[in-house]
Amino acid sequence: MIAAMNYFTLVCMKEDKEGLLDRLQSSGLVMLVQSPQAQPGASPTGEQVQRMERLMQQIKPYAPKRGMLSGLPEESVQALKQVAPEDVQAVQTMEQLLDTLDQCRRRKEELLQETAALAPWKGLDLTEKQLKEGLGYTTFRLGILPAGQWEELSSREGPLGYTQISRQGNRCYLLATAVDPADFSSLPDGWEPAAVPSYSGTPAKHLERLEQETARISARLEQLQQTLTSLAADEVLPARLTEQYRSVSQRESAPCFSTRETVLLEGWVPQKKRNQLEKLLNQTGLPYGLDCREPLPEEEPPTLLENSKLVGQFEGITNMFSVPNYREGDPNGIMAPWYWLIFGMMMGDVGYGLLMVVAIVLVKKFVKLGEEGVKLLNVMLYSSITTMLCGVIFGSYFGETWHPLLFSPMEDPVSMLLLTLLVGVAHIFTGLGVQIYRSIRSGKWLDALFDQVSWICLITGLGLAFFPATQIPGVVLAALGGLTILFTAGRHRKGFLSKAVGGLSGLYGITNYLSDILSYSRILALSLATGVVGMVMNMLAGMLQGSVLGWILSLLIYAVGHVFNLALSLLSAYVHDCRLQYIEFYGKFYEGGGTLFRPFAIDPHYLRLKKDGGN
């Protein structure tokens, strides 16, 4: 069901705003909204949230690796309300280390580039000054020449002398010598002037210094990485400070209308928590003014779902499609049993139902999951019951058929197809029944009769017409429903011709209903797929059971094959069951379009709140 809402306005003194928002945030009782006259508060702390999120990404390579199934760390509400100075100091240390690490990396990269550029000239026995200004009457040029030209060049006579400093691959690094600088105009074709980085002393001495500095920087980098790894071992620290800043930012940006002395806050509070809100405000000891009222007809209150523990696990399935509208009602109580039944029919195997129970219980015990993750697992856990029940009815045990109570889909697929179509008709009629109830409740009796009851009569009549014993009543019922649709589907249109076209168009809708009913044949398809794949795995394993090694391999095939089949079948059943609810079922009555009630509360992204709300 959907909880009744009240719209509240809260007035307080401007200096008391922070204290009241702090209590409201801790309680999670209300949802603040931005009224036309309100302005969202400025939040300088929002930049700190972004800064901390960047830090979390930077520190991730040094944090301990978390398993795929490990959940988020837990923290108490109290620890996230305010920014802790010790956390700020620790994070600043991390940031400083990261900055230093970045500087060291850049410097090491510069050193490596400089070393790579100077290494080919290590054998050059000239200082940089001698190379540029010459030595006595001799001037120098450095260049690179393809190795294939060196032998011919080394034996060439002329005003230029050449010395090979080094050779790397097919490139020779040469020193050209001349008495007259004008002679360098006769350098050979293919000569590429070399740009040598600045160095002190000889290249060999400079390279030695570069190697020493690179080694020192590398040692410093290793030390910094070890320190960061040690600090990052506390993976909660940056996440906790991020959420602390987020909580402060949330209070700073709370929408409000301010005057010189007062502040006005507006929003929604569940009606049954109205007294709790007043009690909370009284406990602050601060002056305030509170007014609560019923929603106005033109207002769209947020939706807060309040269902039993069993039905509540299925709420996420509906919310993925569309949140229930506040004034429409909650469909989960009707949808949940159908989802539960259809899921079991699609899986329909006792062995897989047992595996589902074992796997889900283990995951819930050893993995920390969020609220939505736990709900999804509970849906699967509840559905394991119908999976086993349908497995007994259809006699399916790990893909093998044994004493079915009704029939085996593998041996009698036609009976299974008829059963799935009957389930589909019942499912669709349930959706039409909900719409009939809503139409009658709103005083639209004729709409219920013409738009829903007529279709029930037509579809039921067509079904009965296939059986000789009920053929005549079926034809009469189908004709009654069809004529009702023909003469009433266009009743809201103007003009006789327009009404007639509307009636024919409405009657043509029978194709949509037949298509919807046939969609339930997917239950047969998935049931057969699960059984056939399981049977194939059993056959493959059985073919190897002629020796000890064969038995060992067959056990491996059993384990891997059935686990794979279970995972694939679970995914298929979940997706196709959702589709049947969204299209064939909700399409008959559900509008949705609501907005979830999101309380003004601490809502961490990188941590989980402790269950006790934690102090």
Side-chain angles (χ1 to χ4, degrees), residues 425-536:
V425 171
H427 195 207
I428 290 172
F429 280 6
T430 302
L432 291 174
V434 174
Q435 188 58 38
I436 290 172
Y437 168 75
R438 290 182 175 178
S439 297
I440 293 175
R441 189 179 62 175
S442 59
K444 300 178 181 179
W445 291 79
L446 291 179
D447 287 353
L449 177 63
F450 297 153
D451 297 335
Q452 284 86 47
V453 175
S454 59
W455 281 109
I456 293 176
C457 292
L458 176 57
I459 295 171
T460 304
L462 290 176
L464 294 176
F466 281 97
F467 301 96
T470 58
Q471 190 173 34
I472 294 176
V475 171
V476 172
L477 193 60
L480 179 62
L483 290 173
T484 302
I485 296 168
L486 180 62
F487 289 109
T488 63
R491 65 187 182 277
H492 298 299
R493 299 189 178 189
K494 294 182 179 180
F496 174 79
L497 182 60
S498 180
K499 289 180 183 293
V501 172
L504 291 172
S505 176
L507 190 59
Y508 184 74
I510 186 63
T511 57
N512 294 329
Y513 276 93
L514 292 178
S515 174
D516 289 346
I517 294 171
L518 288 174
S519 291
Y520 289 84
S521 61
R522 70 186 64 238
I523 300 176
L524 166 65
L526 291 176
S527 176
L528 289 177
T530 301
V532 168
V533 174
M535 182 181 67
V536 170

Side-chain angles (χ1 to χ4, degrees), residues 283-326:
Q283 289 174 349
T284 64
L286 301 173
Y288 71 90
L290 177 67
D291 178 64
C292 296
R293 61 167 173 78
E294 296 289 329
L296 300 176
E298 64 272 15
E299 290 178 330
E300 292 293 337
T303 300
L304 176 62
L305 300 174
E306 292 182 338
N307 291 301
S308 64
K309 184 176 180 180
L310 177 62
V311 174
Q313 309 308 308
F314 293 82
E315 292 172 354
I317 295 172
T318 297
N319 291 341
M320 281 194 302
F321 177 63
S322 183
V323 176
N325 188 288
Y326 177 80

Side-chain angles (χ1 to χ4, degrees), residues 25 77 80 243 246-247 250 598-607 609:
Q25 187 185 49
V77 171
L80 302 182
E243 302 303 346
R246 195 189 309 280
S247 298
Q250 187 182 33
R598 300 190 183 278
F600 180 72
I602 294 175
D603 182 23
H605 296 182
Y606 305 107
L607 298 170
L609 294 178

Side-chain angles (χ1 to χ4, degrees), residues 46 87 138 150 201 205 274 301 380 396-397 427 439-440 483 506 575:
D87 288 350
T138 307
W150 167 242
K205 290 291 185 181
R274 175 176 171 176
M380 299 293 179
S396 180
Y397 299 82
H427 195 207
S439 297
I440 293 175
L483 290 173
V575 171

Side-chain angles (χ1 to χ4, degrees), residues 4-22:
M5 287 286 166
N6 278 171
Y7 192 85
F8 77 89
T9 53
L10 174 62
V11 181
C12 67
M13 303 303 294
K14 185 173 287 187
E15 60 268 21
D16 299 331
K17 172 189 171 184
E18 177 64 24
L20 285 176
L21 285 175
D22 180 72

